[in-house]
Amino acid sequence: MQDAAELNLGEDASLLLVDDDEPFLRRLAKAMEKRGFSVETAGSVAAGKAIATARPPAFAVVDLRLEDGNGLDVVEVLREKRPDVRVVVLTGYGAIATAVAAVKIGATDYLSKPADAADIVNALLARGDDLPPPPENPMSADRVRWEHIQRVFELCDRNVSETARRLNMHRRTLQRILAKRSPR
């Protein structure tokens, strides 16, 4: 684990974490504090926007999908209030379209959950053309497929027939996939 002495956080080490998963938010806040960040947390888009407006941080980690809206709304406010902010967008539903949207709005990087604190710090501190190293434990291809199917299923309001049509898959095949446990 990297400690605060190893990291070059600059003069302002303020960090805003926005996520509606309370246990994950607490764990990540604790891990980032150990690395030298001055952490502030928010559990919703509204709270994230309020903090971004009142005290714009130097760094931010924002979940894409929150209960009260889209995390990209928080990213926009952050960019307006502090153009040099370094933002990492997290999501459980990794998709190219949302990654492109996040980067266009001003996110520094885009990571799929589960991302650990080391991956997030590497993404936050990567400068210029430096790419952060690849994750130690990336999702398997089966897991990525599972996540995609689950995302489309949720977007179709858990309608199996509509999901199967959109995925160009037989309905019974989809039902068998959905009945199984998620791959690791």
Side-chain angles (χ1 to χ4, degrees), residues 24-65:
F24 174 76
L25 188 62
R26 281 195 311 268
R27 281 194 315 274
L28 184 59
K30 193 178 269 187
M32 298 308 256
E33 284 172 350
K34 285 182 182 176
R35 288 170 170 80
F37 287 95
S38 173
V39 178
E40 201 164 356
T41 61
S44 66
V45 171
K49 284 179 165 181
I51 292 170
T53 302
R55 297 173 300 285
F59 302 96
V61 179
V62 181
D63 190 13
L64 182 66
R65 193 177 283 176

mmCIF file of all heavy atoms in Angstrom, residues 24-65:
data_model
loop_
_atom_site.group_PDB
_atom_site.id
_atom_site.type_symbol
_atom_site.label_atom_id
_atom_site.label_comp_id
_atom_site.label_asym_id
_atom_site.label_seq_id
_atom_site.Cartn_x
_atom_site.Cartn_y
_atom_site.Cartn_z
ATOM 1 N N PHE A 24 -19.330 0.839 0.966
ATOM 2 C CA PHE A 24 -18.228 1.082 0.035
ATOM 3 C C PHE A 24 -17.656 2.479 0.251
ATOM 4 O O PHE A 24 -16.441 2.675 0.276
ATOM 5 C CB PHE A 24 -18.703 0.912 -1.413
ATOM 6 C CG PHE A 24 -17.668 1.288 -2.436
ATOM 7 C CD1 PHE A 24 -16.603 0.456 -2.711
ATOM 8 C CD2 PHE A 24 -17.755 2.500 -3.119
ATOM 9 C CE1 PHE A 24 -15.639 0.809 -3.641
ATOM 10 C CE2 PHE A 24 -16.806 2.863 -4.052
ATOM 11 C CZ PHE A 24 -15.745 2.013 -4.320
ATOM 12 N N LEU A 25 -18.525 3.464 0.422
ATOM 13 C CA LEU A 25 -18.115 4.849 0.624
ATOM 14 C C LEU A 25 -17.252 4.979 1.882
ATOM 15 O O LEU A 25 -16.205 5.639 1.862
ATOM 16 C CB LEU A 25 -19.351 5.747 0.706
ATOM 17 C CG LEU A 25 -19.127 7.249 0.739
ATOM 18 C CD1 LEU A 25 -18.455 7.728 -0.536
ATOM 19 C CD2 LEU A 25 -20.460 7.968 0.921
ATOM 20 N N ARG A 26 -17.677 4.357 2.968
ATOM 21 C CA ARG A 26 -16.909 4.416 4.226
ATOM 22 C C ARG A 26 -15.534 3.765 4.076
ATOM 23 O O ARG A 26 -14.529 4.314 4.519
ATOM 24 C CB ARG A 26 -17.686 3.746 5.361
ATOM 25 C CG ARG A 26 -18.778 4.615 5.958
ATOM 26 C CD ARG A 26 -19.268 4.060 7.297
ATOM 27 N NE ARG A 26 -19.596 2.648 7.270
ATOM 28 C CZ ARG A 26 -20.810 2.157 7.008
ATOM 29 N NH1 ARG A 26 -21.808 2.972 6.768
ATOM 30 N NH2 ARG A 26 -21.024 0.853 7.002
ATOM 31 N N ARG A 27 -15.496 2.569 3.437
ATOM 32 C CA ARG A 27 -14.219 1.868 3.248
ATOM 33 C C ARG A 27 -13.267 2.689 2.384
ATOM 34 O O ARG A 27 -12.079 2.808 2.693
ATOM 35 C CB ARG A 27 -14.441 0.501 2.607
ATOM 36 C CG ARG A 27 -14.913 -0.570 3.561
ATOM 37 C CD ARG A 27 -14.805 -1.967 2.973
ATOM 38 N NE ARG A 27 -15.287 -2.105 1.613
ATOM 39 C CZ ARG A 27 -16.547 -2.343 1.261
ATOM 40 N NH1 ARG A 27 -17.475 -2.478 2.197
ATOM 41 N NH2 ARG A 27 -16.897 -2.461 0.000
ATOM 42 N N LEU A 28 -13.800 3.235 1.290
ATOM 43 C CA LEU A 28 -12.959 4.010 0.387
ATOM 44 C C LEU A 28 -12.465 5.292 1.062
ATOM 45 O O LEU A 28 -11.297 5.664 0.920
ATOM 46 C CB LEU A 28 -13.712 4.332 -0.910
ATOM 47 C CG LEU A 28 -12.911 5.064 -1.979
ATOM 48 C CD1 LEU A 28 -11.678 4.260 -2.388
ATOM 49 C CD2 LEU A 28 -13.785 5.330 -3.200
ATOM 50 N N ALA A 29 -13.327 5.947 1.829
ATOM 51 C CA ALA A 29 -12.925 7.169 2.539
ATOM 52 C C ALA A 29 -11.785 6.875 3.507
ATOM 53 O O ALA A 29 -10.788 7.609 3.558
ATOM 54 C CB ALA A 29 -14.120 7.766 3.286
ATOM 55 N N LYS A 30 -11.904 5.791 4.242
ATOM 56 C CA LYS A 30 -10.868 5.408 5.201
ATOM 57 C C LYS A 30 -9.547 5.108 4.480
ATOM 58 O O LYS A 30 -8.474 5.564 4.899
ATOM 59 C CB LYS A 30 -11.328 4.180 5.998
ATOM 60 C CG LYS A 30 -10.483 3.885 7.210
ATOM 61 C CD LYS A 30 -11.014 2.688 7.968
ATOM 62 C CE LYS A 30 -12.002 3.146 9.014
ATOM 63 N NZ LYS A 30 -12.437 2.059 9.900
ATOM 64 N N ALA A 31 -9.622 4.373 3.368
ATOM 65 C CA ALA A 31 -8.414 4.029 2.606
ATOM 66 C C ALA A 31 -7.752 5.275 2.015
ATOM 67 O O ALA A 31 -6.520 5.383 2.001
ATOM 68 C CB ALA A 31 -8.768 3.042 1.490
ATOM 69 N N MET A 32 -8.547 6.223 1.557
ATOM 70 C CA MET A 32 -7.985 7.437 0.952
ATOM 71 C C MET A 32 -7.397 8.366 2.020
ATOM 72 O O MET A 32 -6.393 9.022 1.775
ATOM 73 C CB MET A 32 -9.048 8.166 0.127
ATOM 74 C CG MET A 32 -9.573 7.339 -1.047
ATOM 75 S SD MET A 32 -8.278 6.669 -2.094
ATOM 76 C CE MET A 32 -8.411 7.776 -3.464
ATOM 77 N N GLU A 33 -8.005 8.395 3.199
ATOM 78 C CA GLU A 33 -7.435 9.178 4.298
ATOM 79 C C GLU A 33 -6.071 8.632 4.697
ATOM 80 O O GLU A 33 -5.148 9.391 4.979
ATOM 81 C CB GLU A 33 -8.380 9.192 5.502
ATOM 82 C CG GLU A 33 -9.558 10.119 5.319
ATOM 83 C CD GLU A 33 -10.611 9.998 6.408
ATOM 84 O OE1 GLU A 33 -10.541 9.054 7.242
ATOM 85 O OE2 GLU A 33 -11.520 10.852 6.429
ATOM 86 N N LYS A 34 -5.924 7.298 4.707
ATOM 87 C CA LYS A 34 -4.635 6.681 5.029
ATOM 88 C C LYS A 34 -3.568 7.057 4.012
ATOM 89 O O LYS A 34 -2.386 7.061 4.329
ATOM 90 C CB LYS A 34 -4.770 5.157 5.072
ATOM 91 C CG LYS A 34 -5.459 4.640 6.296
ATOM 92 C CD LYS A 34 -5.515 3.133 6.290
ATOM 93 C CE LYS A 34 -6.255 2.598 7.492
ATOM 94 N NZ LYS A 34 -6.404 1.136 7.441
ATOM 95 N N ARG A 35 -3.996 7.379 2.794
ATOM 96 C CA ARG A 35 -3.055 7.757 1.743
ATOM 97 C C ARG A 35 -2.771 9.264 1.717
ATOM 98 O O ARG A 35 -2.095 9.747 0.830
ATOM 99 C CB ARG A 35 -3.576 7.276 0.395
ATOM 100 C CG ARG A 35 -3.465 5.769 0.245
ATOM 101 C CD ARG A 35 -4.209 5.280 -0.978
ATOM 102 N NE ARG A 35 -3.922 3.885 -1.274
ATOM 103 C CZ ARG A 35 -4.477 2.851 -0.658
ATOM 104 N NH1 ARG A 35 -5.349 3.045 0.305
ATOM 105 N NH2 ARG A 35 -4.165 1.620 -1.003
ATOM 106 N N GLY A 36 -3.350 10.006 2.663
ATOM 107 C CA GLY A 36 -3.034 11.415 2.794
ATOM 108 C C GLY A 36 -4.055 12.389 2.249
ATOM 109 O O GLY A 36 -3.841 13.604 2.298
ATOM 110 N N PHE A 37 -5.167 11.904 1.744
ATOM 111 C CA PHE A 37 -6.202 12.792 1.223
ATOM 112 C C PHE A 37 -7.042 13.358 2.365
ATOM 113 O O PHE A 37 -7.231 12.710 3.390
ATOM 114 C CB PHE A 37 -7.128 12.041 0.256
ATOM 115 C CG PHE A 37 -6.505 11.719 -1.069
ATOM 116 C CD1 PHE A 37 -5.908 10.487 -1.281
ATOM 117 C CD2 PHE A 37 -6.518 12.640 -2.111
ATOM 118 C CE1 PHE A 37 -5.330 10.174 -2.510
ATOM 119 C CE2 PHE A 37 -5.956 12.340 -3.338
ATOM 120 C CZ PHE A 37 -5.356 11.110 -3.533
ATOM 121 N N SER A 38 -7.557 14.559 2.165
ATOM 122 C CA SER A 38 -8.513 15.165 3.086
ATOM 123 C C SER A 38 -9.896 14.894 2.485
ATOM 124 O O SER A 38 -10.306 15.559 1.541
ATOM 125 C CB SER A 38 -8.250 16.668 3.178
ATOM 126 O OG SER A 38 -9.248 17.284 3.925
ATOM 127 N N VAL A 39 -10.597 13.905 3.034
ATOM 128 C CA VAL A 39 -11.794 13.340 2.398
ATOM 129 C C VAL A 39 -13.086 13.974 2.894
ATOM 130 O O VAL A 39 -13.268 14.198 4.095
ATOM 131 C CB VAL A 39 -11.846 11.813 2.621
ATOM 132 C CG1 VAL A 39 -13.093 11.207 2.014
ATOM 133 C CG2 VAL A 39 -10.599 11.144 2.061
ATOM 134 N N GLU A 40 -13.985 14.214 1.938
ATOM 135 C CA GLU A 40 -15.351 14.638 2.228
ATOM 136 C C GLU A 40 -16.253 13.698 1.419
ATOM 137 O O GLU A 40 -15.954 13.407 0.265
ATOM 138 C CB GLU A 40 -15.556 16.093 1.812
ATOM 139 C CG GLU A 40 -16.701 16.750 2.502
ATOM 140 C CD GLU A 40 -16.645 18.275 2.386
ATOM 141 O OE1 GLU A 40 -15.689 18.825 1.848
ATOM 142 O OE2 GLU A 40 -17.621 18.886 2.843
ATOM 143 N N THR A 41 -17.346 13.221 2.015
ATOM 144 C CA THR A 41 -18.201 12.254 1.319
ATOM 145 C C THR A 41 -19.602 12.801 1.089
ATOM 146 O O THR A 41 -20.073 13.662 1.835
ATOM 147 C CB THR A 41 -18.316 10.934 2.118
ATOM 148 O OG1 THR A 41 -18.901 11.205 3.391
ATOM 149 C CG2 THR A 41 -16.948 10.280 2.298
ATOM 150 N N ALA A 42 -20.230 12.256 0.049
ATOM 151 C CA ALA A 42 -21.619 12.593 -0.271
ATOM 152 C C ALA A 42 -22.296 11.331 -0.770
ATOM 153 O O ALA A 42 -21.699 10.548 -1.505
ATOM 154 C CB ALA A 42 -21.678 13.691 -1.327
ATOM 155 N N GLY A 43 -23.563 11.138 -0.395
ATOM 156 C CA GLY A 43 -24.300 9.940 -0.773
ATOM 157 C C GLY A 43 -25.306 10.145 -1.885
ATOM 158 O O GLY A 43 -26.051 9.229 -2.209
ATOM 159 N N SER A 44 -25.332 11.351 -2.472
ATOM 160 C CA SER A 44 -26.313 11.625 -3.518
ATOM 161 C C SER A 44 -25.785 12.698 -4.469
ATOM 162 O O SER A 44 -24.811 13.382 -4.168
ATOM 163 C CB SER A 44 -27.620 12.109 -2.894
ATOM 164 O OG SER A 44 -27.426 13.366 -2.269
ATOM 165 N N VAL A 45 -26.466 12.851 -5.600
ATOM 166 C CA VAL A 45 -26.110 13.891 -6.564
ATOM 167 C C VAL A 45 -26.272 15.266 -5.909
ATOM 168 O O VAL A 45 -25.398 16.134 -6.027
ATOM 169 C CB VAL A 45 -26.976 13.788 -7.846
ATOM 170 C CG1 VAL A 45 -26.766 14.986 -8.749
ATOM 171 C CG2 VAL A 45 -26.664 12.501 -8.598
ATOM 172 N N ALA A 46 -27.388 15.473 -5.215
ATOM 173 C CA ALA A 46 -27.657 16.768 -4.576
ATOM 174 C C ALA A 46 -26.564 17.132 -3.576
ATOM 175 O O ALA A 46 -26.052 18.261 -3.580
ATOM 176 C CB ALA A 46 -29.022 16.747 -3.901
ATOM 177 N N ALA A 47 -26.186 16.192 -2.719
ATOM 178 C CA ALA A 47 -25.142 16.453 -1.723
ATOM 179 C C ALA A 47 -23.792 16.685 -2.397
ATOM 180 O O ALA A 47 -23.029 17.562 -1.989
ATOM 181 C CB ALA A 47 -25.056 15.291 -0.736
ATOM 182 N N GLY A 48 -23.510 15.923 -3.438
ATOM 183 C CA GLY A 48 -22.258 16.089 -4.181
ATOM 184 C C GLY A 48 -22.164 17.454 -4.840
ATOM 185 O O GLY A 48 -21.122 18.116 -4.786
ATOM 186 N N LYS A 49 -23.271 17.901 -5.444
ATOM 187 C CA LYS A 49 -23.301 19.237 -6.069
ATOM 188 C C LYS A 49 -23.120 20.336 -5.022
ATOM 189 O O LYS A 49 -22.423 21.320 -5.263
ATOM 190 C CB LYS A 49 -24.624 19.451 -6.801
ATOM 191 C CG LYS A 49 -24.741 18.736 -8.114
ATOM 192 C CD LYS A 49 -26.119 19.028 -8.686
ATOM 193 C CE LYS A 49 -26.250 18.687 -10.125
ATOM 194 N NZ LYS A 49 -27.594 19.014 -10.651
ATOM 195 N N ALA A 50 -23.762 20.170 -3.859
ATOM 196 C CA ALA A 50 -23.665 21.171 -2.795
ATOM 197 C C ALA A 50 -22.221 21.315 -2.320
ATOM 198 O O ALA A 50 -21.715 22.438 -2.176
ATOM 199 C CB ALA A 50 -24.577 20.800 -1.635
ATOM 200 N N ILE A 51 -21.541 20.199 -2.105
ATOM 201 C CA ILE A 51 -20.147 20.245 -1.648
ATOM 202 C C ILE A 51 -19.260 20.808 -2.759
ATOM 203 O O ILE A 51 -18.374 21.623 -2.505
ATOM 204 C CB ILE A 51 -19.670 18.846 -1.207
ATOM 205 C CG1 ILE A 51 -20.419 18.421 0.064
ATOM 206 C CG2 ILE A 51 -18.162 18.833 -0.980
ATOM 207 C CD1 ILE A 51 -20.215 16.972 0.454
ATOM 208 N N ALA A 52 -19.498 20.384 -4.005
ATOM 209 C CA ALA A 52 -18.703 20.863 -5.140
ATOM 210 C C ALA A 52 -18.837 22.369 -5.307
ATOM 211 O O ALA A 52 -17.878 23.051 -5.678
ATOM 212 C CB ALA A 52 -19.122 20.152 -6.422
ATOM 213 N N THR A 53 -20.002 22.907 -5.023
ATOM 214 C CA THR A 53 -20.242 24.345 -5.144
ATOM 215 C C THR A 53 -19.608 25.110 -3.981
ATOM 216 O O THR A 53 -18.953 26.125 -4.172
ATOM 217 C CB THR A 53 -21.756 24.636 -5.197
ATOM 218 O OG1 THR A 53 -22.327 23.916 -6.299
ATOM 219 C CG2 THR A 53 -22.031 26.112 -5.371
ATOM 220 N N ALA A 54 -19.793 24.613 -2.772
ATOM 221 C CA ALA A 54 -19.308 25.308 -1.573
ATOM 222 C C ALA A 54 -17.792 25.187 -1.391
ATOM 223 O O ALA A 54 -17.120 26.170 -1.078
ATOM 224 C CB ALA A 54 -20.013 24.766 -0.337
ATOM 225 N N ARG A 55 -17.254 23.979 -1.584
ATOM 226 C CA ARG A 55 -15.827 23.718 -1.352
ATOM 227 C C ARG A 55 -15.279 22.828 -2.467
ATOM 228 O O ARG A 55 -15.066 21.629 -2.254
ATOM 229 C CB ARG A 55 -15.627 23.034 0.002
ATOM 230 C CG ARG A 55 -16.053 23.850 1.194
ATOM 231 C CD ARG A 55 -16.006 23.064 2.501
ATOM 232 N NE ARG A 55 -16.865 21.884 2.548
ATOM 233 C CZ ARG A 55 -18.189 21.903 2.700
ATOM 234 N NH1 ARG A 55 -18.825 23.041 2.798
ATOM 235 N NH2 ARG A 55 -18.881 20.773 2.752
ATOM 236 N N PRO A 56 -15.042 23.380 -3.663
ATOM 237 C CA PRO A 56 -14.570 22.538 -4.774
ATOM 238 C C PRO A 56 -13.239 21.854 -4.438
ATOM 239 O O PRO A 56 -12.276 22.524 -4.087
ATOM 240 C CB PRO A 56 -14.397 23.518 -5.939
ATOM 241 C CG PRO A 56 -14.991 24.806 -5.517
ATOM 242 C CD PRO A 56 -15.147 24.777 -4.034
ATOM 243 N N PRO A 57 -13.190 20.527 -4.510
ATOM 244 C CA PRO A 57 -11.977 19.797 -4.153
ATOM 245 C C PRO A 57 -10.969 19.731 -5.312
ATOM 246 O O PRO A 57 -11.305 20.017 -6.458
ATOM 247 C CB PRO A 57 -12.513 18.397 -3.844
ATOM 248 C CG PRO A 57 -13.668 18.266 -4.788
ATOM 249 C CD PRO A 57 -14.294 19.634 -4.859
ATOM 250 N N ALA A 58 -9.758 19.318 -4.993
ATOM 251 C CA ALA A 58 -8.723 19.121 -6.016
ATOM 252 C C ALA A 58 -8.928 17.790 -6.726
ATOM 253 O O ALA A 58 -8.549 17.633 -7.886
ATOM 254 C CB ALA A 58 -7.342 19.170 -5.372
ATOM 255 N N PHE A 59 -9.516 16.822 -6.013
ATOM 256 C CA PHE A 59 -9.742 15.485 -6.554
ATOM 257 C C PHE A 59 -11.176 15.048 -6.255
ATOM 258 O O PHE A 59 -11.755 15.481 -5.269
ATOM 259 C CB PHE A 59 -8.789 14.465 -5.906
ATOM 260 C CG PHE A 59 -7.333 14.789 -6.061
ATOM 261 C CD1 PHE A 59 -6.647 15.462 -5.056
ATOM 262 C CD2 PHE A 59 -6.644 14.430 -7.204
ATOM 263 C CE1 PHE A 59 -5.301 15.766 -5.185
ATOM 264 C CE2 PHE A 59 -5.303 14.726 -7.350
ATOM 265 C CZ PHE A 59 -4.627 15.397 -6.339
ATOM 266 N N ALA A 60 -11.707 14.166 -7.110
ATOM 267 C CA ALA A 60 -13.048 13.637 -6.863
ATOM 268 C C ALA A 60 -13.172 12.233 -7.437
ATOM 269 O O ALA A 60 -12.579 11.919 -8.471
ATOM 270 C CB ALA A 60 -14.109 14.543 -7.476
ATOM 271 N N VAL A 61 -13.951 11.413 -6.748
ATOM 272 C CA VAL A 61 -14.313 10.078 -7.224
ATOM 273 C C VAL A 61 -15.831 10.032 -7.156
ATOM 274 O O VAL A 61 -16.417 10.179 -6.082
ATOM 275 C CB VAL A 61 -13.693 8.964 -6.347
ATOM 276 C CG1 VAL A 61 -14.113 7.596 -6.847
ATOM 277 C CG2 VAL A 61 -12.178 9.085 -6.321
ATOM 278 N N VAL A 62 -16.469 9.845 -8.327
ATOM 279 C CA VAL A 62 -17.924 9.961 -8.420
ATOM 280 C C VAL A 62 -18.499 8.695 -9.039
ATOM 281 O O VAL A 62 -18.054 8.263 -10.108
ATOM 282 C CB VAL A 62 -18.313 11.189 -9.280
ATOM 283 C CG1 VAL A 62 -19.814 11.334 -9.362
ATOM 284 C CG2 VAL A 62 -17.684 12.461 -8.730
ATOM 285 N N ASP A 63 -19.491 8.117 -8.373
ATOM 286 C CA ASP A 63 -20.211 6.973 -8.921
ATOM 287 C C ASP A 63 -21.111 7.479 -10.045
ATOM 288 O O ASP A 63 -21.711 8.550 -9.929
ATOM 289 C CB ASP A 63 -21.044 6.299 -7.831
ATOM 290 C CG ASP A 63 -21.630 4.970 -8.270
ATOM 291 O OD1 ASP A 63 -21.218 4.430 -9.312
ATOM 292 O OD2 ASP A 63 -22.520 4.461 -7.561
ATOM 293 N N LEU A 64 -21.209 6.721 -11.119
ATOM 294 C CA LEU A 64 -21.997 7.154 -12.266
ATOM 295 C C LEU A 64 -23.490 7.125 -11.976
ATOM 296 O O LEU A 64 -24.209 8.073 -12.230
ATOM 297 C CB LEU A 64 -21.688 6.269 -13.479
ATOM 298 C CG LEU A 64 -22.412 6.636 -14.762
ATOM 299 C CD1 LEU A 64 -21.952 7.982 -15.276
ATOM 300 C CD2 LEU A 64 -22.175 5.576 -15.815
ATOM 301 N N ARG A 65 -23.950 6.020 -11.413
ATOM 302 C CA ARG A 65 -25.384 5.854 -11.200
ATOM 303 C C ARG A 65 -25.698 5.960 -9.711
ATOM 304 O O ARG A 65 -25.314 5.109 -8.921
ATOM 305 C CB ARG A 65 -25.829 4.490 -11.730
ATOM 306 C CG ARG A 65 -27.339 4.382 -11.828
ATOM 307 C CD ARG A 65 -27.755 3.078 -12.411
ATOM 308 N NE ARG A 65 -27.558 3.113 -13.842
ATOM 309 C CZ ARG A 65 -27.765 2.085 -14.637
ATOM 310 N NH1 ARG A 65 -28.160 0.943 -14.139
ATOM 311 N NH2 ARG A 65 -27.578 2.184 -15.932
#
